[in-house]
Amino acid sequence: MTPAPKTIQIYLPGGDPRGIRVAEVTTRIVQVIEVPRSLLPTFLAMPESTQVAVYFLVSESDDGTERRVYVGQSGDLPTRLKDHNKAKPFWQRVLVMVSRTHNLTQTHALFLEWHSLQAIRAAGRFTDENGNGGSRPHTPPPMEADCLEMFDTGRTLLATLGFSLFDPVASAGEAGQAPEVFVCEASGAKGRGQYTEEGFVVLQGSVGRLQSVPSIQGTSDDNFRQRLLEQGVMRAEGDTVVFQSDHLFRSPSMAAVALLGRTANGWLEWKTPEGRTLDEVKRQVG
């Protein structure tokens, strides 16, 4: 199904696009407020912080290899976030979902917290810090319908702010069409991937070489590959590595380096099954 056009408003309370951002679909009641950790006191002085809310503590490593999230809900957001600020060192930003009309109840929030956590785990983009996901809370069907509509709006707003918590990294393709898959088969690798709006996705089961070539050993590229192994994105099997899940890289070249264990121009290494390079297919058009 093709997504419908939407108008989204982003308000900057402090005037700084790197600071607190408030996003909303202009015809919906849900708001998502993005708060850098350093500006938590500023947010807690805003009236929105006094509402019942669902929130997401998020972090991402500089090279994009590690993404972590904690999902919570509270009717006493200032106390809860102050506690997290003291006890949870990992997070960089908090994303707070509230209702513009103040009609989000604790029952709504409990269902949204549970449903969000299931969606995050199914998408596989972020590692959650919640531990036990808990059981599905009892929610009357009319209220559950409201919650699912709120969740859908929240999903759009989070993605607009740059946090696609609930969406799989690999594309399912347009209706009736298979997604376009590129292959990387140099240096003994047998990789498969997709070029997306966010970067390049190496698909689960792709195989690369275990040892980095001597020229990059000890460099940032080599350290990057080691982190992928340590975090379980890739698993060593003999003299190869195997991707354990679909994984999003910021560029085709980062994806190629992860597989090949050497410097690589991903625009040339990734090819269609017929042999056309990613560069030919995606950049040399028009």
Side-chain angles (χ1 to χ4, degrees), residues 54 97 104 108-116 147 150-151:
V54 179
M97 187 163 69
L104 190 68
H108 288 108
L110 283 167
F111 180 87
L112 285 166
E113 175 190 39
W114 174 83
H115 187 70
S116 295
C147 288
M150 292 179 200
F151 174 82

Side-chain angles (χ1 to χ4, degrees), residues 27-48:
T27 56
R28 304 287 180 86
I29 66 170
V30 173
Q31 286 181 326
V32 171
I33 306 167
E34 177 190 354
V35 184
R37 188 167 184 163
S38 62
L39 294 180
L40 184 60
T42 302
F43 169 68
L44 296 181
M46 293 170 59
E48 289 86 351

Side-chain angles (χ1 to χ4, degrees), residues 6 17 29 36 41 47 52 66 90 128 169 189 195 216 238 248 259 283:
K6 296 178 179 65
I29 66 170
V52 175
E66 183 179 27
F90 79 90
D128 74 82
V169 296
Y195 183 60
I216 74 163
L248 174 67
L259 279 170
R283 296 204 298 190

Side-chain angles (χ1 to χ4, degrees), residues 52-181:
V52 175
V54 179
Y55 61 88
F56 308 87
L57 307 177
V58 295
S59 72
E60 183 173 5
S61 60
D62 290 340
D63 60 11
T65 59
E66 183 179 27
R67 301 177 181 91
R68 301 164 69 186
V69 62
Y70 176 88
V71 186
Q73 59 78 32
S74 181
D76 184 3
L77 201 56
T79 297
R80 187 65 61 84
L81 291 182
K82 287 176 184 177
D83 288 345
H84 290 326
N85 199 31
K86 294 177 182 177
K88 295 186 182 299
F90 79 90
W91 59 281
Q92 300 158 345
R93 311 181 93 74
V94 59
L95 307 161
V96 182
M97 187 163 69
V98 297
S99 165
R100 291 194 295 118
T101 54
H102 297 255
N103 66 347
L104 190 68
T105 69
Q106 203 76 45
T107 304
H108 288 108
L110 283 167
F111 180 87
L112 285 166
E113 175 190 39
W114 174 83
H115 187 70
S116 295
L117 188 56
Q118 310 317 305
I120 286 168
R121 290 175 174 174
R125 283 178 180 261
F126 283 72
T127 300
D128 74 82
E129 299 290 315
N130 286 70
N132 188 345
S135 58
R136 180 189 180 109
H138 173 70
T139 311
M143 185 172 286
E144 182 174 326
D146 287 343
C147 288
L148 292 176
E149 185 173 345
M150 292 179 200
F151 174 82
D152 186 60
T153 302
R155 176 203 293 266
T156 299
L157 295 175
L158 287 164
T160 300
L161 291 170
F163 301 91
S164 298
L165 298 174
F166 311 124
D167 301 315
V169 296
S171 169
E174 299 295 335
Q177 297 181 357
E180 188 171 25
V181 174

